[in-house]
């Protein structure tokens, strides 16, 4: 074999390795190193909230990426709810999955997903890492919660089908996640490795039901989860497990599209091995496109490429597996929509009737209704700021997002707002002007929030708690449960409270 053949084979392998990689980057314009790698065959880029200023800037950014590599995947985490990137500065104008599941109107779900897809296509994005189709069977789940359509596998499945159909009707590829299911966890895989000790039969009856529906609906990609399922593979998390990806997803479920890893910078994937070795193991297990993280560097990609080349040379990773993965990514890219000439993102507008319809999904206790109906105003709004998981990030949420963009009702404008966070002196909540509306997310999971609510409730009966996350089963700290904290649901909450108070307090400033 000639030296030239060796050289060509090495160059082809390196290009194929690059095609399997999907890094993120820092900044709002593509750095030179990233553009150079795209010209060399890099599979694509994952865009995050800090990369985005506005729709016009995102379109220009994505055009520069696709100019460097016309087949580049431009991926984004736009779930259309609490997890939003396109609206990271002001919160999403969509309801989110849990609200859609509670309303249980699949035509609405498909329409919302179509709106999300249109907005993404208008900015040049080609893949959205959505929908989240985990069955949220654990109310203490710190990373899924309202990102899920619900706790019923069949309900989640029918809304999965609708969401996939809706978004892919715009040309944007869906990515059903997180295979084989992240709903029964109490650990955040960004920070550690969750363990789900259930049988394959339980998975088939619960977690896998929505994934079968996603595949039947034609989802172009499926994203893995960094969770350990010891009854299937006691050594490797799903992202790194050939038994789960090749045996279960490819074999039993028959998925033929692109398998995307969840971000390899998460501790659930690379906490033990480091990112380069995690990349090797993920490719060997069956992943085709490796999401690396949100702030990657040229040097980091050098390390990953070198690790994969070394694994191929050592016989640990067949070159044919790399070629197969790269071929799938290129096939996905070949069908991507072209970059539009001009941005045309139109946010959906929602009138009072629509806000009322979304508020119909809220769960409201009789005590909350009575307290609000007997009040002529809200004296204090207590904003409980819990630390959001990394997937949600620091995007504005709930009524506080609404107040950044839209006019707010007089009752909200006139109320005093007190912020409470972990480490806040809780004596500030002892003597607040009432009635008091407490607004937070996943309140039962945060001891400081529980303490603040119990102090507020002591000796007074004019406190109404609003949980905009996934409440505990006993609803102990959720007089009102909204099952979502997008900007749209924040507006629906403002409308609901205003209508529940005396009519003269419901006006908009």
């Amino acid at each position: 074999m000639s030296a030239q053949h060796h050289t060509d084979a090495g160059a082809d392998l390196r290009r194929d390795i690059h095609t399997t990689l999907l890094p993120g980057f820092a900044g709002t314009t593509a750095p030179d190193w990233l553009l150079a790698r795209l010209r060399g065959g890099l599979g694509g880029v994952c865009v995050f909230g800090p990369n985005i200023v506005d729709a016009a800037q995102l379109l220009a950014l994505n055009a520069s990426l696709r100019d460097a590599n016309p087949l580049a995947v431009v991926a984004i985490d736009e779930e259309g709810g609490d997890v939003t990137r396109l609206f990271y500065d002001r919160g999403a104008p969509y309801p989110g999955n849990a609200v859609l599941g509670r309303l249980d109107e699949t035509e609405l779900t498909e329409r919302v997903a179509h709106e999300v897809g249109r907005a993404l296509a208008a900015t040049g994005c080609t893949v959205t890492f959505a929908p989240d189709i985990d069955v949220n069977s654990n109310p203490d789940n710190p990373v899924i919660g309202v990102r899920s359509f619900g706790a019923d596998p069949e309900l989640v499945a029918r809304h999965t089908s609708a969401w996939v159909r809706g978004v892919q009707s715009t040309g944007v590829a869906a990515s059903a996640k997180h295979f084989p299911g992240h709903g029964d966890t109490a650990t955040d895989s960004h920070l550690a490795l969750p363990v789900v000790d259930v049988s394959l039969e339980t998975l088939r009856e619960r977690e896998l039901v929505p994934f079968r529906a996603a595949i039947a609906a034609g989802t172009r990609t499926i994203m893995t989860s960094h969770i350990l399922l010891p009854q299937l593979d006691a050594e490797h998390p799903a992202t790194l497990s050939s038994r789960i990806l090749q045996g279960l997803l490819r074999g039993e479920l028959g998925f033929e599209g692109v398998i995307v890893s969840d971000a390899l910078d998460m501790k659930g994937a690379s906490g033990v091995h480091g990112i380069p070795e995690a990349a090797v193991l993920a490719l060997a297990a069956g992943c085709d496109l490796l999401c690396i993280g949100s702030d990657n560097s040229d040097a980091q990609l050098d390390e990953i490429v070198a690790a994969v080349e070394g694994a191929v040379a050592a016989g640990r990773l067949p070159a044919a597996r790399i070629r197969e993965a790269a071929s799938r990514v290129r096939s996905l890219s070949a069908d991507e929509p072209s970059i539009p000439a001009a941005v045309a993102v139109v946010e959906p507008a929602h009138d009072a009737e629509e806000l009322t319809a979304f508020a119909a999904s809220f769960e409201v206790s009789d005590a909350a209704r009575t307290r609000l109906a007997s009040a002529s105003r809200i004296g204090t709004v207590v904003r409980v700021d819990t630390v959001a998981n990394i997937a949600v990030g620091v995007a504005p949420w709930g009524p506080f997002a609404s107040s950044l963009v839209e006019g707010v009702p007089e009752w909200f404008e006139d109320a005093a707002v007190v912020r409470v966070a972990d480490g806040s002196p809780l004596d500030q909540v002892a003597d607040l002007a009432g009635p008091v509306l407490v607004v937070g997310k996943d309140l039962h999971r945060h001891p400081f929030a529980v303490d603040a609510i119990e102090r507020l409730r002591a000796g007074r009966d004019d406190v109404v708690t609003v949980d905009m996350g996934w409440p505990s089963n006993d609803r102990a700290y959720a007089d009102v449960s909204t099952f979502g904290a997008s900007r749209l649901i924040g507006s629906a909450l403002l409308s609901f409270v205003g209508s529940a108070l005396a009519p003269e307090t419901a006006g908009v400033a």
Side-chain angles (χ1 to χ4, degrees), residues 178-433:
H178 306 80
F179 188 82
H182 208 313
D184 189 17
T185 59
T187 302
D188 185 344
S189 53
H190 293 91
L191 308 176
L193 177 62
V195 177
V196 179
D197 192 10
V198 299
S199 67
L200 178 57
E201 191 56 39
T202 296
L203 286 174
R204 286 173 175 149
E205 293 175 355
R206 190 176 63 183
E207 277 79 3
L208 298 185
V209 174
F211 283 99
R212 290 187 185 277
I215 293 168
T219 186
R220 302 292 307 282
T221 79
I222 286 178
M223 177 177 277
T224 66
S225 64
H226 307 323
I227 61 174
L228 188 71
L229 297 106
Q231 295 191 39
L232 276 69
D233 187 330
E235 183 178 358
H236 301 104
T239 300
L240 312 182
S241 172
S242 61
R243 294 180 191 174
I244 293 173
L245 300 187
Q246 300 284 10
L248 189 57
L249 182 53
R250 294 282 189 214
E252 181 174 324
L253 271 64
F255 179 61
E256 297 180 354
V258 174
I259 298 177
V260 185
S261 78
D262 206 346
L264 295 184
D265 63 355
M266 295 165 61
K267 296 300 183 185
S270 57
V272 172
H273 306 285
I275 294 175
E277 177 64 9
V280 170
L281 296 174
L283 287 167
C287 289
D288 303 307
L289 185 60
L290 306 183
C291 184
I292 309 300
S294 60
D295 189 6
N296 303 121
S297 67
D298 195 31
Q300 194 173 36
L301 264 65
D302 273 339
E303 293 176 359
I304 294 169
V305 171
V308 176
E309 286 180 322
V312 172
R316 298 174 55 215
L317 177 59
R321 169 81 270 272
I322 306 297
R323 287 195 297 272
E324 175 191 47
S327 175
R328 283 203 180 96
V329 174
R330 291 184 188 120
S331 177
L332 173 68
S333 303
D335 295 332
E336 289 179 345
S338 60
I339 292 286
V343 69
V345 175
V346 178
E347 285 195 27
H350 302 283
D351 59 23
E353 183 178 351
E354 289 176 303
L355 293 179
T356 299
F358 285 117
S361 68
F362 298 172
E363 185 178 296
V364 185
S365 70
D366 291 341
R369 292 188 189 277
T370 299
R371 287 170 186 164
L372 291 172
S374 64
S376 61
R377 65 186 182 88
I378 296 295
T380 306
V381 174
V382 176
R383 171 177 174 164
V384 181
D385 280 320
T386 51
V387 176
N389 65 60
I390 294 171
V392 173
V394 296
W397 59 277
F400 315 106
S402 303
S403 66
L404 296 175
V405 178
E406 304 154 2
V408 296
E410 291 177 5
W411 72 261
F412 186 77
E413 187 176 66
D414 293 342
V417 176
V418 174
R419 291 184 181 228
V420 174
D422 198 2
S424 298
L426 294 183
D427 55 4
Q428 66 177 316
V429 304
D431 189 25
L432 297 178

Side-chain angles (χ1 to χ4, degrees), residues 448-504:
F448 83 91
V450 169
D451 193 7
I453 291 169
E454 290 181 345
R455 287 174 183 244
L456 269 169
R457 286 174 171 173
R460 59 191 303 168
D461 61 359
D462 62 349
V463 177
V464 174
T465 58
V466 179
D467 195 329
M468 303 197 76
W470 194 285
S472 60
N473 287 338
D474 62 7
R475 308 298 195 259
Y477 301 98
D479 300 321
V480 179
S481 303
T482 68
F483 292 89
S486 70
R487 172 161 50 94
L488 169 60
I489 298 307
S491 296
L493 175 64
L494 292 174
S495 177
F496 164 77
V497 173
S499 64
L501 295 169
E504 65 270 17

